[in-house]
Amino acid sequence: MSAGPRPGPELGPDDVRDLPERWKVVEESTAFTGHVFNVRRDRVEMPARPGGGTEVVGRDVIEHLGSVGVLALDDRDRVLMLRQYRHPVERLLWETPAGLRDVAGEPLHKLAERELLEEAGYRAARWDTLADVFPSSGMSNERSRIFLARDLVQVPAEEIDFERVHEEADMPVVWVPLDEAVRKVLAGDVHNMIACVGILAVHAARAGGYRDLRPVDAPEG
C-alpha cells in the first residue's frame, strides 16, 4: 500500500504559483545536438529527506528554442484554426498559428505577429497575453507564450513575402465559433497543446469580460 503524501507545510489556494527552483546538478553531458533542440543528460542530487540521505538520479532534458502561439478571434467570436501534418504523432492536427523562437532578440509579440501573417494571412490591431505554459515540463525546458489577437484584417496574398514549404505548403484555414471550439477540445477532437490551452483560456477570459488579460509585453515568470 502507498504510504500517502509526506506531511509538510499547510498550503492553500494562495500558494498555487509556480516558483523558480534548481536542484544541484553534479554532472551534465550532451547526448544529442539538433537544429530545433538538443538533449542534455544531467545527474541531479535530490534534496535530503527527513531520516534519509541524498540520492543522485539521471534526468534527460530536451533543450528547446521555445515557441509562441496565437489565438486569433474575429468580431463574430470565431477562432482561426489551420490543419497541419505532424509526423511524430502521425496525425493531421487542427492547430492555431504558432512558431519557434528562432530569431535572437525578437520580441515575442513581434514573432506572434509574423506567424499570424505568414501562416494565416492576417494582421491584428489588438494583442494581449493569454497564457504562458511549459508544454512538456517532465522532459523539456520549452516555454510557450500564447497571445490573443483581435481586430483582425486579412492581408492580400501578394503582400505577404513568405513561401510555405513542406508541412506548411498546404494548410487549410477554418473559422470555428468559440463555443464549438471548446466542445471540440472537450470531445477529444482537437489535441494540439497550444490550440487546446488557447481555446479554453480565451473562453474563460471572455466570461470574465477580458478583465484579467496581461499586456502583450508582460514579463515571463
Side-chain angles (χ1 to χ4, degrees), residues 47-60:
R49 301 299 183 188
T54 61
E55 179 184 7
V56 175
V57 300
R59 293 289 182 265
D60 289 343

Side-chain angles (χ1 to χ4, degrees), residues 167-219:
E167 291 92 342
E168 296 181 345
D170 181 23
M171 294 193 301
V173 172
V174 172
W175 288 95
V176 184
L178 178 56
D179 290 340
E180 178 65 17
V182 171
R183 285 192 289 271
K184 289 182 178 295
V185 171
L186 298 181
D189 294 332
V190 175
H191 299 83
N192 174 263
M193 182 279 304
I194 289 176
C196 289
V197 171
I199 288 167
L200 298 179
V202 78
H203 186 261
R206 184 184 66 175
Y210 299 107
R211 290 187 302 270
D212 297 324
L213 292 177
R214 290 171 289 157
V216 69
D217 57 353

Side-chain angles (χ1 to χ4, degrees), residues 4-26:
R6 294 186 178 90
E10 291 293 330
L11 299 176
D14 289 344
D15 297 297
V16 179
R17 178 176 300 167
D18 296 338
L19 299 173
E21 174 86 352
R22 180 174 172 81
W23 292 354
K24 182 179 179 181
V25 177
V26 299

Side-chain angles (χ1 to χ4, degrees), residues 34-220:
H35 174 63
V36 175
F37 63 84
N38 304 327
V39 178
R40 188 183 78 235
R41 287 181 173 161
D42 289 349
R43 299 280 292 166
V44 184
E45 185 177 285
M46 302 288 104
R49 301 299 183 188
T54 61
E55 179 184 7
V56 175
V57 300
R59 293 289 182 265
D60 289 343
V61 179
I62 298 173
E63 299 176 325
H64 194 279
L65 294 172
S67 57
V68 300
V70 182
L71 196 293
L73 192 70
D74 72 2
D75 57 5
R76 296 166 57 187
D77 272 1
R78 298 182 304 171
V79 176
L80 185 152
M81 301 195 71
L82 46 85
R83 192 177 68 186
Q84 185 170 356
Y85 175 66
R86 294 300 188 181
H87 186 69
V89 295
E90 299 179 344
R91 295 286 191 280
L92 285 167
L93 296 185
W94 284 99
E95 307 181 354
T96 55
L100 295 171
R101 305 182 185 188
D102 54 2
V103 178
E106 183 177 29
L108 297 183
H109 66 280
K110 292 298 183 182
L111 168 57
E113 290 176 4
R114 178 161 56 85
E115 293 297 337
L116 179 61
L117 177 63
E118 292 176 352
E119 291 195 350
Y122 282 84
R123 288 194 176 98
R126 181 168 184 177
W127 289 85
D128 299 281
T129 294
L130 189 57
D132 290 315
V133 293
F134 292 113
S136 189
S137 56
M139 67 179 68
S140 173
N141 66 356
E142 179 185 1
R143 43 192 321 160
S144 182
R145 166 158 288 189
I146 306 172
F147 292 95
L148 173 60
R150 289 178 286 176
D151 296 345
L152 303 169
V153 176
Q154 190 169 15
V155 178
E158 60 271 17
E159 296 182 16
I160 302 173
D161 184 20
F162 178 74
E163 181 183 2
R164 297 175 184 164
V165 296
H166 307 306
E167 291 92 342
E168 296 181 345
D170 181 23
M171 294 193 301
V173 172
V174 172
W175 288 95
V176 184
L178 178 56
D179 290 340
E180 178 65 17
V182 171
R183 285 192 289 271
K184 289 182 178 295
V185 171
L186 298 181
D189 294 332
V190 175
H191 299 83
N192 174 263
M193 182 279 304
I194 289 176
C196 289
V197 171
I199 288 167
L200 298 179
V202 78
H203 186 261
R206 184 184 66 175
Y210 299 107
R211 290 187 302 270
D212 297 324
L213 292 177
R214 290 171 289 157
V216 69
D217 57 353
E220 288 187 293

